[in-house]
Amino acid sequence: MPFEIWRCVGPLAEGAAIEDLARVPSIGDQIERQTAALALYASPDRMAATLLHKFPSLAGTISRKVLTWSMWR
């Protein structure tokens, strides 16, 4: 799946979609892991933040603005 899809999904992801997103950082390649983490960060669902913190290095790079969507423009 093209990683760009996660950019569109993140702000709308809730419920079961959050669980799907949360699997990607465990199984995807580096770009998929990073973009899925950005999508979790963008989600309004509280569970997304909880799941994102299971990947502390990704969560940290996002909070420090090291990892952003602008990296792929």
Side-chain angles (χ1 to χ4, degrees), residues 40-71:
L40 285 169
Y41 182 77
S43 172
D45 193 308
R46 285 189 217 179
M47 180 59 72
T50 300
L51 293 172
L52 177 59
H53 283 90
K54 289 185 176 185
F55 307 98
S57 64
L58 289 170
T61 59
I62 292 170
S63 67
R64 291 188 314 273
K65 308 283 189 228
V66 173
L67 176 59
T68 66
W69 284 114
S70 64
M71 294 173 61

Side-chain angles (χ1 to χ4, degrees), residues 9-50:
V9 170
L12 304 173
E14 295 180 343
I18 297 298
E19 294 172 18
D20 291 339
L21 267 173
R23 281 186 227 129
V24 177
S26 298
I27 60 173
D29 63 27
Q30 181 177 352
I31 292 174
E32 290 172 325
R33 288 191 304 268
Q34 291 173 335
T35 55
L38 285 166
L40 285 169
Y41 182 77
S43 172
D45 193 308
R46 285 189 217 179
M47 180 59 72
T50 300

